[in-house]
Amino acid sequence: MAAAAWGRRLPRAWLRRCGPDCPRAPRAAGAPPGTRPSLCCRSAGPGRGRHYRAARCVEPKQPLAVEEVGPRPVRPHEVRVDVHFCGVNFADILVCRGQYQEKPQLPFTPGMEFSGIVLETGADVSTVKEGDRVIGVSGFNGMAEECIIDQKTLWQIPEGVSLREAATLPVSYGTALLALEHRACTQPGETVLVTAAAGATGLAVIDVATNILQAKVIAAVGSDEKCQLVMQKGAQSVVNYSQGGLKEAVRKLVGSVGVNVVIDTVGGDVFLEALRSLAWEGRIVVVGFAGGTIASVPANLLLLKNVSAMGLYWSRYKEQNFPIFSRTLSSALQYCQQGRIQPHIGTVFKLEKVNDAFLHVIQRKSTGKVLISLK
Protein backbone atom coordinates (compact mmCIF):
# COMPACT_ATOMS: atom_id res chain seq x y z
CA MET A 1 0.00 0.00 0.00
CA ALA A 2 1.30 3.43 -0.87
CA ALA A 3 1.78 5.39 2.33
CA ALA A 4 0.08 8.44 0.82
CA ALA A 5 -3.21 6.53 0.61
CA TRP A 6 -3.57 6.69 4.38
CA GLY A 7 -3.31 10.48 4.27
CA ARG A 8 -6.47 11.06 2.20
CA ARG A 9 -9.26 12.89 3.96
CA LEU A 10 -12.29 10.85 4.89
CA PRO A 11 -15.65 11.76 3.34
CA ARG A 12 -17.60 14.00 5.68
CA ALA A 13 -20.46 11.49 5.72
CA TRP A 14 -18.17 9.03 7.51
CA LEU A 15 -17.47 11.51 10.27
CA ARG A 16 -20.97 12.80 10.98
CA ARG A 17 -22.21 12.14 14.47
CA CYS A 18 -25.94 11.42 14.65
CA GLY A 19 -28.19 14.14 16.01
CA PRO A 20 -31.81 14.19 17.16
CA ASP A 21 -33.05 14.14 13.55
CA CYS A 22 -30.89 11.21 12.49
CA PRO A 23 -32.86 9.26 9.85
CA ARG A 24 -31.32 6.03 11.10
CA ALA A 25 -32.79 6.40 14.58
CA PRO A 26 -35.97 4.45 15.30
CA ARG A 27 -39.34 6.23 15.50
CA ALA A 28 -41.60 5.66 18.44
CA ALA A 29 -43.87 2.66 18.03
CA GLY A 30 -46.84 3.55 15.80
CA ALA A 31 -45.50 7.00 14.91
CA PRO A 32 -46.20 8.07 11.29
CA PRO A 33 -43.33 8.64 8.82
CA GLY A 34 -41.60 11.98 9.32
CA THR A 35 -42.17 12.02 13.05
CA ARG A 36 -39.16 13.19 15.06
CA PRO A 37 -37.18 10.09 16.19
CA SER A 38 -37.75 9.06 19.76
CA LEU A 39 -34.12 8.07 20.29
CA CYS A 40 -30.96 8.99 18.38
CA CYS A 41 -28.67 6.07 17.64
CA ARG A 42 -25.97 7.70 19.81
CA SER A 43 -28.22 8.66 22.72
CA ALA A 44 -29.38 5.31 24.06
CA GLY A 45 -28.47 4.43 27.62
CA PRO A 46 -24.79 3.60 28.17
CA GLY A 47 -23.92 0.18 26.82
CA ARG A 48 -27.53 -0.73 26.13
CA GLY A 49 -28.23 -0.82 22.40
CA ARG A 50 -26.69 2.40 21.15
CA HIS A 51 -24.90 2.72 17.84
CA TYR A 52 -21.25 3.76 18.02
CA ARG A 53 -18.46 4.84 15.69
CA ALA A 54 -15.65 2.54 14.64
CA ALA A 55 -12.72 2.61 12.22
CA ARG A 56 -13.48 0.02 9.56
CA CYS A 57 -11.24 -1.69 7.04
CA VAL A 58 -13.61 -2.28 4.12
CA GLU A 59 -10.99 -3.07 1.49
CA PRO A 60 -7.30 -3.98 1.97
CA LYS A 61 -4.71 -1.29 1.20
CA GLN A 62 -7.35 1.46 1.22
CA PRO A 63 -7.98 4.22 3.79
CA LEU A 64 -10.12 3.25 6.73
CA ALA A 65 -13.70 4.47 6.97
CA VAL A 66 -15.24 5.79 10.18
CA GLU A 67 -18.72 4.32 10.30
CA GLU A 68 -21.67 3.89 12.63
CA VAL A 69 -21.84 0.31 13.87
CA GLY A 70 -24.86 -1.38 15.37
CA PRO A 71 -24.52 -3.02 18.80
CA ARG A 72 -24.99 -6.67 19.66
CA PRO A 73 -25.86 -8.27 23.00
CA VAL A 74 -23.05 -9.41 25.27
CA ARG A 75 -22.73 -13.15 25.76
CA PRO A 76 -22.52 -14.61 29.29
CA HIS A 77 -18.69 -14.45 29.46
CA GLU A 78 -18.32 -11.09 27.70
CA VAL A 79 -17.93 -7.46 28.74
CA ARG A 80 -18.93 -4.27 26.92
CA VAL A 81 -16.33 -1.52 27.35
CA ASP A 82 -16.61 2.20 26.66
CA VAL A 83 -13.26 2.69 24.93
CA HIS A 84 -11.26 5.83 25.76
CA PHE A 85 -7.90 5.14 24.08
CA CYS A 86 -6.67 2.60 21.56
CA GLY A 87 -3.04 1.99 20.67
CA VAL A 88 -1.87 2.07 17.04
CA ASN A 89 0.60 -0.72 16.25
CA PHE A 90 2.40 -1.69 13.07
CA ALA A 91 0.39 -4.91 13.14
CA ASP A 92 -2.78 -2.83 12.65
CA ILE A 93 -1.31 -1.40 9.47
CA LEU A 94 -0.17 -4.80 8.21
CA VAL A 95 -3.56 -6.42 8.85
CA CYS A 96 -5.28 -3.59 6.95
CA ARG A 97 -2.89 -4.24 4.07
CA GLY A 98 -3.68 -7.95 4.13
CA GLN A 99 -0.05 -8.69 5.04
CA TYR A 100 -0.41 -9.89 8.63
CA GLN A 101 -0.38 -13.48 9.92
CA GLU A 102 -4.02 -13.12 10.92
CA LYS A 103 -6.55 -12.16 8.25
CA PRO A 104 -9.90 -11.06 9.72
CA GLN A 105 -12.98 -11.26 7.51
CA LEU A 106 -13.85 -7.95 5.83
CA PRO A 107 -15.07 -5.51 6.92
CA PHE A 108 -13.35 -5.41 10.30
CA THR A 109 -12.19 -2.96 12.95
CA PRO A 110 -8.44 -2.87 13.73
CA GLY A 111 -7.02 -2.17 17.17
CA MET A 112 -5.24 -4.73 19.38
CA GLU A 113 -5.14 -2.87 22.69
CA PHE A 114 -7.32 -0.34 24.44
CA SER A 115 -8.28 1.24 27.74
CA GLY A 116 -11.74 2.18 28.89
CA ILE A 117 -14.56 1.78 31.39
CA VAL A 118 -16.84 -1.22 31.77
CA LEU A 119 -20.39 -0.50 30.58
CA GLU A 120 -22.03 -3.89 30.84
CA THR A 121 -21.16 -7.44 31.88
CA GLY A 122 -22.54 -10.82 30.85
CA ALA A 123 -24.30 -13.12 33.27
CA ASP A 124 -21.20 -15.24 33.98
CA VAL A 125 -18.68 -12.41 34.35
CA SER A 126 -16.99 -12.31 37.76
CA THR A 127 -13.69 -10.53 37.17
CA VAL A 128 -14.93 -6.96 36.53
CA LYS A 129 -18.05 -4.90 37.14
CA GLU A 130 -19.73 -1.88 35.61
CA GLY A 131 -17.65 1.25 36.15
CA ASP A 132 -14.28 -0.51 36.45
CA ARG A 133 -11.35 0.98 34.53
CA VAL A 134 -9.69 -1.67 32.39
CA ILE A 135 -7.19 -2.42 29.66
CA GLY A 136 -8.03 -5.01 27.06
CA VAL A 137 -6.30 -7.11 24.41
CA SER A 138 -8.91 -7.46 21.72
CA GLY A 139 -7.37 -9.19 18.73
CA PHE A 140 -8.60 -6.74 16.09
CA ASN A 141 -11.66 -4.77 17.13
CA GLY A 142 -10.52 -2.15 19.64
CA MET A 143 -10.49 0.97 17.45
CA ALA A 144 -14.11 1.85 18.21
CA GLU A 145 -16.11 3.77 20.77
CA GLU A 146 -17.28 0.46 22.22
CA CYS A 147 -15.75 -3.00 22.30
CA ILE A 148 -17.14 -6.34 23.40
CA ILE A 149 -14.49 -8.67 24.74
CA ASP A 150 -14.03 -11.87 26.73
CA GLN A 151 -13.62 -11.17 30.45
CA LYS A 152 -10.33 -13.07 30.63
CA THR A 153 -8.58 -10.57 28.33
CA LEU A 154 -9.36 -7.58 30.54
CA TRP A 155 -7.15 -6.32 33.36
CA GLN A 156 -8.21 -3.76 35.95
CA ILE A 157 -6.21 -0.53 35.96
CA PRO A 158 -4.86 0.26 39.44
CA GLU A 159 -5.25 3.63 41.12
CA GLY A 160 -2.73 6.21 40.04
CA VAL A 161 -2.48 4.95 36.44
CA SER A 162 -4.42 7.00 33.90
CA LEU A 163 -6.48 5.52 31.07
CA ARG A 164 -4.11 7.20 28.64
CA GLU A 165 -1.01 5.68 30.23
CA ALA A 166 -2.62 2.29 30.57
CA ALA A 167 -3.43 2.10 26.85
CA THR A 168 0.30 2.17 26.04
CA LEU A 169 1.10 -0.94 28.09
CA PRO A 170 -0.29 -4.17 26.57
CA VAL A 171 1.58 -4.54 23.27
CA SER A 172 4.76 -2.52 23.91
CA TYR A 173 5.43 -3.47 27.53
CA GLY A 174 3.98 -6.95 27.16
CA THR A 175 6.43 -7.51 24.31
CA ALA A 176 9.35 -5.97 26.21
CA LEU A 177 8.78 -8.10 29.32
CA LEU A 178 8.29 -11.34 27.39
CA ALA A 179 11.31 -10.68 25.16
CA LEU A 180 13.70 -9.71 27.92
CA GLU A 181 12.58 -11.96 30.77
CA HIS A 182 10.92 -15.01 29.28
CA ARG A 183 12.77 -15.42 25.98
CA ALA A 184 16.23 -13.90 26.49
CA CYS A 185 16.42 -14.51 30.27
CA THR A 186 18.24 -11.19 30.69
CA GLN A 187 20.37 -10.94 33.82
CA PRO A 188 21.38 -7.86 35.85
CA GLY A 189 24.51 -6.24 34.44
CA GLU A 190 24.16 -7.77 30.97
CA THR A 191 24.30 -5.56 27.90
CA VAL A 192 21.17 -5.30 25.76
CA LEU A 193 21.17 -3.92 22.22
CA VAL A 194 17.74 -2.75 21.03
CA THR A 195 17.04 -1.68 17.44
CA ALA A 196 14.42 0.92 16.45
CA ALA A 197 14.89 2.04 20.01
CA ALA A 198 12.82 5.24 19.75
CA GLY A 199 9.67 3.38 18.74
CA ALA A 200 7.02 2.30 21.22
CA THR A 201 8.45 -1.18 21.73
CA GLY A 202 12.05 0.04 21.68
CA LEU A 203 11.42 2.60 24.41
CA ALA A 204 9.58 -0.02 26.46
CA VAL A 205 12.59 -2.36 26.14
CA ILE A 206 14.90 0.42 27.35
CA ASP A 207 12.57 1.14 30.27
CA VAL A 208 12.23 -2.50 31.36
CA ALA A 209 15.88 -3.45 30.80
CA THR A 210 17.19 -0.43 32.68
CA ASN A 211 14.69 0.09 35.48
CA ILE A 212 13.36 -3.42 36.13
CA LEU A 213 16.21 -5.76 35.15
CA GLN A 214 19.19 -3.47 35.88
CA ALA A 215 20.77 -4.25 32.51
CA LYS A 216 22.88 -1.88 30.40
CA VAL A 217 21.29 -0.72 27.15
CA ILE A 218 22.77 0.24 23.79
CA ALA A 219 20.02 1.94 21.79
CA ALA A 220 20.19 1.91 17.98
CA VAL A 221 18.19 4.65 16.23
CA GLY A 222 18.16 6.51 12.92
CA SER A 223 18.51 10.21 13.77
CA ASP A 224 20.29 12.58 16.16
CA GLU A 225 16.96 13.71 17.62
CA LYS A 226 16.11 10.12 18.52
CA CYS A 227 19.59 9.68 20.01
CA GLN A 228 18.81 12.41 22.53
CA LEU A 229 15.46 10.87 23.42
CA VAL A 230 16.73 7.34 24.12
CA MET A 231 19.55 8.69 26.28
CA GLN A 232 16.98 10.65 28.29
CA LYS A 233 14.96 7.45 28.65
CA GLY A 234 17.83 5.52 30.21
CA ALA A 235 20.05 4.07 27.48
CA GLN A 236 23.71 4.01 28.53
CA SER A 237 24.99 4.25 24.95
CA VAL A 238 23.49 5.09 21.58
CA VAL A 239 24.20 4.22 17.95
CA ASN A 240 22.91 6.22 14.98
CA TYR A 241 22.83 3.57 12.26
CA SER A 242 22.04 6.14 9.57
CA GLN A 243 25.67 7.22 9.90
CA GLY A 244 27.40 3.86 9.49
CA GLY A 245 27.32 0.13 10.13
CA LEU A 246 25.72 -1.14 13.31
CA LYS A 247 28.27 -3.89 13.96
CA GLU A 248 31.27 -1.54 13.87
CA ALA A 249 29.51 1.05 16.01
CA VAL A 250 28.70 -1.58 18.65
CA ARG A 251 32.28 -2.88 18.53
CA LYS A 252 33.57 0.60 19.36
CA LEU A 253 31.36 0.62 22.45
CA VAL A 254 31.90 -2.89 23.84
CA GLY A 255 35.00 -4.15 22.02
CA SER A 256 35.20 -7.67 20.62
CA VAL A 257 33.28 -9.13 23.56
CA GLY A 258 29.91 -8.20 22.09
CA VAL A 259 26.46 -7.77 23.62
CA ASN A 260 24.59 -10.39 25.63
CA VAL A 261 21.09 -9.74 24.30
CA VAL A 262 19.60 -8.19 21.15
CA ILE A 263 15.93 -7.23 20.80
CA ASP A 264 15.34 -6.60 17.09
CA THR A 265 12.21 -5.13 15.54
CA VAL A 266 13.76 -4.07 12.21
CA GLY A 267 14.92 -7.20 10.38
CA GLY A 268 16.99 -7.27 7.17
CA ASP A 269 20.60 -6.06 7.30
CA VAL A 270 20.09 -4.53 10.74
CA PHE A 271 19.20 -7.96 12.12
CA LEU A 272 22.27 -9.55 10.52
CA GLU A 273 24.62 -6.90 11.91
CA ALA A 274 23.03 -7.23 15.32
CA LEU A 275 23.45 -11.01 15.16
CA ARG A 276 27.15 -10.55 14.41
CA SER A 277 27.42 -8.26 17.45
CA LEU A 278 26.46 -10.95 19.96
CA ALA A 279 28.80 -12.15 22.68
CA TRP A 280 29.54 -15.80 23.46
CA GLU A 281 26.22 -17.49 24.30
CA GLY A 282 24.37 -14.32 23.37
CA ARG A 283 20.64 -14.29 22.57
CA ILE A 284 18.83 -12.42 19.81
CA VAL A 285 15.03 -12.10 19.90
CA VAL A 286 13.19 -11.34 16.66
CA VAL A 287 10.16 -9.18 17.45
CA GLY A 288 9.26 -7.78 14.02
CA PHE A 289 10.32 -6.62 10.59
CA ALA A 290 9.62 -2.89 10.54
CA GLY A 291 12.30 -2.44 7.87
CA GLY A 292 10.24 -4.57 5.49
CA THR A 293 12.84 -7.29 4.87
CA ILE A 294 12.96 -10.71 6.52
CA ALA A 295 16.56 -11.90 6.78
CA SER A 296 17.76 -15.48 6.52
CA VAL A 297 19.80 -16.65 9.52
CA PRO A 298 23.34 -17.83 8.67
CA ALA A 299 23.45 -20.96 10.82
CA ASN A 300 27.24 -20.90 11.04
CA LEU A 301 27.04 -17.71 13.13
CA LEU A 302 24.92 -19.53 15.68
CA LEU A 303 27.49 -22.29 15.91
CA LEU A 304 30.68 -20.20 16.14
CA LYS A 305 29.68 -18.32 19.29
CA ASN A 306 27.06 -20.75 20.62
CA VAL A 307 24.44 -18.04 20.25
CA SER A 308 20.65 -18.44 20.20
CA ALA A 309 18.22 -16.85 17.75
CA MET A 310 14.59 -16.94 18.80
CA GLY A 311 11.30 -15.30 17.93
CA LEU A 312 8.58 -13.59 19.89
CA TYR A 313 5.02 -13.57 18.54
CA TRP A 314 3.50 -11.70 21.47
CA SER A 315 -0.20 -12.24 20.88
CA ARG A 316 0.26 -15.98 20.32
CA TYR A 317 0.96 -16.36 24.04
CA LYS A 318 -2.68 -15.46 24.66
CA GLU A 319 -3.66 -18.83 23.18
CA GLN A 320 -0.58 -20.94 23.89
CA ASN A 321 0.50 -19.85 27.37
CA PHE A 322 -2.11 -17.54 28.85
CA PRO A 323 -0.71 -17.55 32.43
CA ILE A 324 2.57 -16.00 31.23
CA PHE A 325 0.72 -13.61 28.92
CA SER A 326 -1.54 -12.45 31.74
CA ARG A 327 1.31 -12.18 34.26
CA THR A 328 3.30 -9.82 32.01
CA LEU A 329 0.36 -7.44 31.68
CA SER A 330 -0.33 -7.53 35.41
CA SER A 331 3.37 -6.81 36.02
CA ALA A 332 3.34 -3.89 33.57
CA LEU A 333 0.36 -2.33 35.36
CA GLN A 334 2.03 -2.84 38.74
CA TYR A 335 5.35 -1.36 37.60
CA CYS A 336 3.50 1.65 36.17
CA GLN A 337 1.60 2.19 39.42
CA GLN A 338 4.85 1.97 41.38
CA GLY A 339 6.53 4.50 39.10
CA ARG A 340 9.23 2.02 38.08
CA ILE A 341 8.42 2.41 34.37
CA GLN A 342 7.51 5.58 32.50
CA PRO A 343 5.54 4.91 29.29
CA HIS A 344 6.28 7.42 26.53
CA ILE A 345 3.24 8.65 24.59
CA GLY A 346 4.13 10.07 21.20
CA THR A 347 1.07 11.52 19.44
CA VAL A 348 -2.66 11.24 20.15
CA PHE A 349 -5.17 11.40 17.28
CA LYS A 350 -8.96 11.59 17.31
CA LEU A 351 -10.83 8.69 15.70
CA GLU A 352 -11.70 10.72 12.60
CA LYS A 353 -7.95 11.18 12.02
CA VAL A 354 -7.20 7.46 12.12
CA ASN A 355 -5.68 7.49 8.62
CA ASP A 356 -3.34 10.30 9.67
CA ALA A 357 -2.32 8.17 12.66
CA PHE A 358 -1.51 5.23 10.39
CA LEU A 359 0.52 7.48 8.09
CA HIS A 360 2.35 8.85 11.13
CA VAL A 361 3.44 5.32 12.08
CA ILE A 362 4.31 4.32 8.50
CA GLN A 363 6.54 7.36 8.03
CA ARG A 364 8.11 6.92 11.51
CA LYS A 365 7.25 10.50 12.43
CA SER A 366 6.45 9.66 16.04
CA THR A 367 8.53 8.37 18.91
CA GLY A 368 6.83 6.22 21.51
CA LYS A 369 3.24 4.99 21.36
CA VAL A 370 0.69 6.52 18.99
CA LEU A 371 -2.84 6.52 20.42
CA ILE A 372 -6.35 7.03 19.10
CA SER A 373 -8.58 8.99 21.47
CA LEU A 374 -12.24 7.94 21.36
CA LYS A 375 -13.40 10.78 23.61
Side-chain angles (χ1 to χ4, degrees):
M1 176 195 67
W6 293 105
R8 299 173 190 161
R9 291 189 178 275
L10 295 170
R12 295 182 67 84
W14 286 345
L15 310 181
R16 184 174 57 245
R17 185 180 290 269
C18 297
D21 296 313
C22 173
R24 288 170 288 181
R27 293 189 300 273
T35 301
R36 182 183 180 91
S38 61
L39 189 66
C40 173
C41 59
R42 283 293 299 167
S43 63
R48 307 296 197 275
R50 71 177 187 177
H51 282 64
Y52 58 90
R53 296 186 309 155
R56 302 285 280 169
C57 179
V58 179
E59 184 179 350
K61 303 183 181 180
Q62 295 301 314
L64 301 182
V66 176
E67 299 179 340
E68 294 281 350
V69 177
R72 69 166 177 83
V74 296
R75 300 185 181 98
H77 61 283
E78 291 180 330
V79 178
R80 191 190 310 274
V81 178
D82 183 24
V83 179
H84 283 233
F85 294 96
C86 179
V88 179
N89 295 282
F90 202 71
D92 294 308
I93 295 166
L94 290 177
V95 77
C96 291
R97 290 173 170 175
Q99 297 173 344
Y100 195 62
Q101 299 96 313
E102 301 171 29
K103 292 179 168 53
Q105 183 177 352
L106 294 169
F108 67 88
T109 296
M112 302 172 65
E113 59 182 345
F114 64 86
S115 65
I117 297 175
V118 173
L119 289 173
E120 181 184 3
T121 60
D124 296 340
V125 172
S126 59
T127 57
V128 295
K129 64 183 184 301
E130 186 175 334
D132 282 349
R133 301 185 316 134
V134 293
I135 57 170
V137 178
S138 57
F140 287 105
N141 65 340
M143 212 167 283
E145 291 175 324
E146 287 186 8
C147 179
I148 293 178
I149 187 170
D150 192 296
Q151 65 171 330
K152 80 172 188 177
T153 52
L154 288 175
W155 290 261
Q156 290 197 47
I157 301 171
E159 291 184 11
V161 179
S162 69
L163 287 165
R164 181 170 162 148
E165 266 188 320
T168 71
L169 297 176
V171 175
S172 297
Y173 279 84
T175 297
L177 285 163
L178 276 172
L180 289 165
E181 291 186 326
H182 182 65
R183 299 298 281 150
C185 300
T186 308
Q187 301 300 308
E190 288 193 316
T191 300
V192 176
L193 170 64
V194 54
T195 62
T201 299
L203 289 173
V205 170
I206 294 172
D207 206 359
V208 171
T210 302
N211 298 313
I212 303 301
L213 302 177
Q214 286 77 55
K216 296 174 288 187
V217 174
I218 299 174
V221 295
S223 71
D224 290 338
E225 180 183 2
K226 291 176 179 178
C227 286
Q228 295 177 7
L229 173 66
V230 296
M231 291 294 285
Q232 292 169 3
K233 291 294 180 178
Q236 281 71 38
S237 305
V238 65
V239 171
N240 185 344
Y241 42 39
S242 69
Q243 298 179 354
L246 177 61
K247 178 186 175 184
E248 289 306 314
V250 171
R251 181 184 289 271
K252 290 178 181 177
L253 292 171
V254 298
S256 59
V257 175
V259 299
N260 305 107
V261 174
V262 174
I263 310 296
D264 178 51
T265 62
V266 177
D269 291 340
V270 170
F271 164 81
L272 292 173
E273 290 200 55
L275 178 64
R276 291 183 169 92
S277 302
L278 282 173
W280 171 261
E281 292 191 337
R283 294 88 72 199
I284 185 167
V285 184
V286 178
V287 175
F289 312 101
T293 303
I294 299 175
S296 296
V297 179
N300 63 309
L301 296 182
L302 307 183
L303 182 148
L304 291 173
K305 290 185 179 179
N306 280 12
V307 302
S308 301
M310 61 195 81
L312 174 61
Y313 184 2
W314 171 76
S315 61
R316 188 71 182 272
Y317 277 87
K318 187 169 66 171
E319 287 76 36
Q320 298 294 327
N321 195 334
F322 186 78
I324 287 179
F325 182 85
S326 181
R327 188 164 65 244
T328 59
L329 295 189
S330 297
S331 295
L333 286 164
Q334 181 182 11
Y335 294 149
C336 193
Q337 183 188 35
Q338 294 170 344
R340 298 176 65 187
I341 57 173
Q342 302 290 330
H344 182 80
I345 299 170
T347 310
V348 181
F349 292 85
K350 300 297 287 183
L351 179 61
E352 52 266 30
K353 297 293 185 181
V354 62
N355 291 301
D356 293 338
F358 274 36
L359 186 62
H360 208 68
V361 174
I362 291 167
Q363 296 182 338
R364 296 179 175 83
K365 290 183 177 179
S366 182
T367 54
K369 177 66 76 173
V370 175
L371 296 177
I372 300 292
S373 171
L374 285 303
K375 300 300 174 189

